Amino acid sequence: MQRLHTKLALNIFWRQGLALFLGIIVWCVADPALAVDWTHPLSFSNAELSRHDFSGQSLQAAEFSNANMEFANFTNADLRGAILSASVMTQANLHGADLTNAMVDQVNLNRVDLSDAVLKETLFLRAIFNDVNIDGADFTDAILDRAQIKELCIKASGVNSKTGVKTRDSLGC
């Protein structure tokens, strides 16, 4: 009987020890992931950004809602995953900008320079394209309605310098 209690106690001791050891391993491995300092994306909601120079800046996942960005310069800016919603971008310069996976919703893009821009998988909801420069822009897998595609195909030309994709091909013209 004594021997059975000793064996049972030893078995419980090893199980608890193993559980403690595994708990420490999990805590040590998972803890650094929890300690990463995550910063919130930049927000430019309701901002007056007319003529602002964002050229070459990293603006990944930035939010531009209800912003005035007339004549703003986004040349070669990294706008991957950015949200541009209900904003005015008349005569903005987006030459060479990367808007991969961005959402462009209800944005007035009158006379905007989108030449050589990467617009892969960009969602264009109710965006207004009026007299835009799209020479060399890559619209691969972008979400556009038929009217937008028809309008853009009329002026589509060139090859994107970063992706090597023809603008006409990326629009499916």
Side-chain angles (χ1 to χ4, degrees), residues 54-83:
F54 290 104
S55 59
Q57 292 186 28
S58 177
L59 300 164
Q60 288 184 25
E63 179 190 356
F64 297 88
S65 298
N66 298 310
N68 180 11
M69 297 178 279
E70 292 182 294
F71 301 99
N73 185 5
F74 290 94
T75 303
N76 296 314
D78 184 355
L79 290 158
R80 290 176 292 167
I83 297 171

Side-chain angles (χ1 to χ4, degrees), residues 66-120:
N66 298 310
N68 180 11
M69 297 178 279
E70 292 182 294
F71 301 99
N73 185 5
F74 290 94
T75 303
N76 296 314
D78 184 355
L79 290 158
R80 290 176 292 167
I83 297 171
L84 296 95
S85 182
S87 297
V88 176
M89 294 189 78
T90 303
Q91 295 188 21
N93 186 353
L94 288 154
H95 173 81
D98 189 346
L99 284 98
T100 300
N101 294 314
M103 184 175 82
V104 182
D105 176 36
Q106 301 178 60
V107 176
N108 185 342
L109 299 167
N110 288 327
R111 296 183 303 277
V112 169
D113 183 0
L114 290 171
S115 62
D116 211 36
V118 179
L119 305 159
K120 294 167 70 171

